[in-house]
Amino acid sequence: MSRLRGIGALCGLVALMWGVALSPGLAQSPALPAVDALRESVAPGCGAEAGAARSVETRVICDRVLRVGLRGDYPRFAEIGPAGATGFEADVAREIAARLDVALEVVAVTPVNRISKLGEGEADLVIATMGHNTQRDPTVHFLRPHYFQSETILVGATDQNPLAWEDLDSRLVCTTVGNYSNVILAPDVGRLMLFSRSQQLIDALLNEMCPLIAQDDTLLLPLISSETEPSRFERKLGFAPVPWGMAMPLGISAEMAAAMSEILKAMHRDGSFLRLARKHDVPVAFLTEEQARWQSVACRAAPETCLSPPLNVQLIRSPVAGLGTSIEGALKARLGIEVRLGFMESDVAWRMFLGGLGTSVLAVCLALMATALVALSIGKMLVSPVWLLRALAKSVLTLFQNAPVMLVLVVMGTLTVWTFSYSYSSAMLAAILAIAGANGSFAGAAVAEAYRITEAREGTSRFMRALSLSSAQLDSYLINAVRGISAASVVGVPDLVNALNGITAFSGSQTFYYWLLVLFYIAAVLFAAQLTRRGLSRILPTEGDIA
């Protein structure tokens, strides 16, 4: 009996040792010289009084806590729930903390604030599906080697026609704010709709709000691959492959950077990244290549030569970039206002801004002329002796008086697409017809009412006298048409609203751009008011003539 107990105890001990050896985060790894060097350089200062000005490495080593920023809404990579953080990146964070011999503290981040969390000292390390590109390089310290790679894909319904890149200029595409590929996507898309969270983006596709969405292939893979039933969606296009990098605040010590880099190299060599990726059903092609690379003799001998570069998305400076910087500096120095004129920084943003501004000015002019034409036409038809013309005018008036303007705009957009196929011209036509129809019909009704209460006088026709009496209403509806033309972006007109929305996708400053739009339309309304009042005063009879 005692022999059986001894054998059982021995088997239990073997099983326990085997379980410990295979447990993620408990796996024994060889000592890393750079990590030991980091501890030796920081440890002497741990006895000093804690303060807010301590460096990242001091906080991590002395407090024995690594604060890692993780996303909470990215299936298979990082999700934060009642049970804590789960997913590939969450387990990678635990592995890194274990190799540093510190505890892990999870900080929830989003694509919008993951970089600012580092700058504000709320996180020590961010592992948050962040592509390493040259545009982000100056803002944070990216650790290499990279731990993953993805590309941006466009996903749409399987029953849609095949898509080429050239087709995007007539399409609505939805994406998230801050996605690295937006700088490539925004200039070539007919209309870009932005969401702050990836789950909102997916919901918009499922609810048919967005016909096409653009995001990392890792996020959208579950939508286009199903083992149980045919998927409703498929990959339409792919572009801009980018390596994913972990990031730390700028200014970390050389010892900290070396220690973190050595941990990542070791995790590639010993297969830790591969093991965790397979655990969470994450694609492993990139990680398999990286393991072979870091196990090679060449990379062991000269590791710096094996580090992959970031994706080059450096933007060409615009011809007014210097002026934009001067304006930013002057506003901060004299008024204490900090703004970022992102539309003046890069050539692509500046071209988008000028194109949108020109289109908006054209739309304002066309809206004024079309509204005036519709007002005159409806007014003339309502007082016509021909019954058919009066009936037609009353039908148009009834339609525009009872249907919401946005509904009319969408219907007009759909009709023009059916008639002419989609183009910027057809979208502009739809917007002008809807806005001019809604405001011009009301103005025409006001002219007809004035016609009924006046009569002709020598030298002045009855209709011209009616126009003069209703000039205040005409003026109001013309100005209202200018305000309403801002809704043209709904049907895909590449106006200033659409252009600034696209620029926001890769340059931020969303709030400032809203104020810029407000200022533009205030200026447009003031201009339209002066133009219409002067124009009406010249062509219409004066009050003395009417009397």
Side-chain angles (χ1 to χ4, degrees), residues 17-96:
M17 293 175 63
W18 181 258
V20 169
L22 293 181
S23 296
L26 292 177
Q28 298 297 314
S29 56
L32 300 175
V35 175
D36 294 338
L38 172 65
R39 292 196 190 99
E40 291 173 2
S41 66
V42 172
C46 288
E49 184 178 351
R54 293 189 304 166
S55 64
V56 173
E57 51 271 16
T58 301
R59 284 200 306 268
V60 172
I61 299 301
C62 296
D63 296 348
R64 297 180 62 80
V65 174
L66 179 67
R67 300 171 302 167
V68 179
L70 296 172
R71 293 182 62 172
D73 61 346
Y74 211 98
R76 297 181 298 158
F77 283 83
E79 293 180 288
I80 300 176
T86 58
F88 170 65
E89 291 182 330
D91 280 352
V92 167
R94 293 186 182 94
E95 185 81 21
I96 292 173

Side-chain angles (χ1 to χ4, degrees), residues 514-538:
Y514 289 150
W515 281 108
L516 192 63
L517 285 171
V518 170
L519 293 175
F520 170 79
Y521 281 105
I522 288 175
V525 167
L526 292 175
F527 167 77
Q530 291 297 319
L531 183 66
T532 55
R533 286 165 190 165
R534 290 187 180 184
L536 291 173
S537 66
R538 290 186 178 183

Side-chain angles (χ1 to χ4, degrees), residues 368 474-484 525 528-529 532-533:
L368 283 172
L474 279 173
D475 185 44
S476 297
Y477 286 117
L478 285 169
I479 292 173
N480 199 51
V482 173
R483 289 199 299 263
V525 167
T532 55
R533 286 165 190 165

Side-chain angles (χ1 to χ4, degrees), residues 343-419:
F343 67 95
M344 300 178 73
E345 292 176 0
S346 64
D347 185 63
V348 62
W350 181 242
R351 284 189 285 108
M352 289 175 66
F353 174 77
L354 291 181
L357 181 63
T359 302
S360 287
V361 171
L362 176 63
V364 166
C365 296
L366 291 177
L368 283 172
M369 292 188 290
T371 301
L373 181 61
V374 171
L376 294 175
S377 301
I378 294 293
K380 196 72 173 175
M381 291 169 67
L382 284 172
V383 299
S384 172
V386 180
W387 173 84
L388 184 60
L389 291 178
R390 293 199 307 274
L392 179 60
K394 288 179 180 178
S395 299
V396 173
L397 186 60
T398 301
L399 171 65
F400 283 109
Q401 281 183 333
N402 294 282
V405 176
M406 291 301 294
L407 178 60
V408 173
L409 190 61
V410 172
V411 170
M412 286 292 186
T414 304
L415 290 176
T416 52
V417 168
W418 284 350
T419 307

Side-chain angles (χ1 to χ4, degrees), residues 105-146:
E105 179 182 319
V106 173
V107 178
V109 300
T110 68
V112 177
N113 66 16
R114 56 192 171 189
I115 289 179
S116 63
K117 289 281 187 181
L118 288 173
E120 293 165 4
E122 296 182 36
D124 306 313
L125 173 69
V126 164
I127 312 175
T129 69
M130 186 159 59
H132 182 192
N133 59 57
T134 51
Q135 196 175 25
R136 288 176 176 155
D137 246 345
T139 61
V140 290
H141 181 102
F142 275 96
L143 303 174
R144 292 189 295 168
H146 302 115

